[in-house]
């Protein structure tokens, strides 16, 4: 049974490396692609719109430049945690790379105007949540800690879609 336990652990580790960002533990591009295909299929069946949001952090580079990559990593982890609090469990948040994130909001309304309003509400909630100050606890020499306050806003692009409207490649370009 020890061999089986070790093998299962190794399989789980391989799965996590293949589908999740190691830093934020969010889905990566590969898993996002899979979820996008699922949401498009669900949209086709239900006639409900969905929204794809691409987020870019506006003031990320200065934290890396002034305090090092460890501080930047801490900021990215905090952004991921904040994003999780802004959407439903059925929605997908993925780290797209660097300081870019994608939010996939499924099962909106069947009406375009109402779906746009719903997506706008989610985007505004994300914008406001990410704009709040970040307090990063950094280790200094001799294990002393210091807290750095950093302000970071986000730019958000939103595309609303029905499954039959487009391809996933086009959506990501938009």
């Amino acid at each position: 049974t020890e061999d089986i336990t070790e093998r299962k652990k190794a399989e789980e580790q391989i799965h996590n490396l293949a589908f999740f960002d190691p830093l934020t533990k969010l889905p990566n591009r590969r898993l996002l692609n899979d979820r996008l295909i699922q949401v498009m299929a669900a949209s086709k069946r239900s006639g409900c719109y969905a929204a794809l949001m691409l987020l870019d952090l506006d003031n990320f580079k200065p934290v890396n430049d002034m305090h090092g990559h460890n501080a930047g990593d801490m900021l990215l982890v905090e952004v991921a945690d904040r994003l999780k609090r802004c959407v439903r469990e059925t929605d997908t948040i993925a780290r797209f790379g660097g300081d870019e994130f994608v939010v996939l909001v499924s099962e909106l309304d069947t009406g375009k105007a109402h779906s746009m309003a719903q997506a706008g509400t989610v985007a505004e909630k994300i914008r406001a949540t990410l704009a709040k100050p970040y307090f990063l606890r950094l280790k200094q020499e001799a294990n002393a800690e210091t807290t750095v306050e950093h302000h970071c806003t986000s730019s958000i692009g939103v595309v609303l879609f029905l499954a039959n409207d487009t391809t996933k490649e086009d959506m990501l370009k938009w």
Side-chain angles (χ1 to χ4, degrees):
T1 59
E2 239 178 84
D3 289 342
I4 293 171
T5 304
E6 289 303 312
R7 193 180 78 220
K8 288 285 185 198
K9 264 191 216 171
E11 286 172 0
E12 186 178 336
Q13 209 170 14
I14 289 167
H15 177 268
N16 286 341
L17 288 170
F19 294 107
F20 293 91
D21 173 58
L23 178 65
T24 61
K25 309 295 185 248
L26 291 176
N28 62 17
R29 282 178 187 234
R30 177 182 282 167
L31 186 53
L32 173 66
N33 249 351
D34 186 54
R35 299 256 175 97
L36 192 50
I37 290 166
Q38 290 175 18
V39 167
M40 289 177 83
S43 170
K44 199 171 202 168
R45 281 192 307 274
S46 69
C48 289
Y49 281 87
L52 186 70
M53 302 179 189
L54 181 63
L55 290 79
D56 188 38
L57 301 179
D58 296 330
N59 196 21
F60 177 72
K61 191 173 174 352
V63 81
N64 268 344
D65 293 347
M66 291 170 23
H67 305 290
H69 289 285
N70 193 31
D73 288 351
M74 290 171 78
L75 180 69
L76 292 171
V77 169
E78 177 63 25
V79 166
D81 289 343
R82 290 183 185 190
L83 286 172
K84 288 177 197 168
R85 294 192 299 266
C86 290
V87 297
R88 304 166 299 184
E89 267 186 44
T90 55
D91 299 327
T92 298
I93 305 161
R95 181 163 175 220
F96 211 55
D99 62 345
E100 290 182 328
F101 294 85
V102 172
V103 177
L104 178 58
V105 183
S106 59
E107 300 169 12
L108 295 172
D109 197 73
T110 53
K112 190 170 188 174
H114 193 245
S115 295
M116 277 178 148
Q118 288 174 309
T121 299
V122 173
E124 177 54 28
K125 183 178 182 182
I126 289 170
R127 189 207 58 74
T129 300
L130 295 185
K132 292 177 183 168
Y134 295 83
F135 297 97
L136 309 172
R137 296 176 64 143
L138 306 176
K139 293 251 188 252
Q140 304 297 92
E141 296 88 43
N143 277 345
E145 261 190 17
T146 183
T147 300
V148 172
E149 182 176 340
H150 184 73
H151 295 268
C152 189
T153 55
S154 60
S155 297
I156 305 174
V158 181
V159 64
L160 195 67
F161 66 92
L162 272 174
N164 5 349
D165 281 354
T166 186
T167 66
K168 63 182 172 55
E169 292 78 17
D170 281 344
M171 272 188 289
L172 289 169
K173 280 183 213 164
W174 294 340

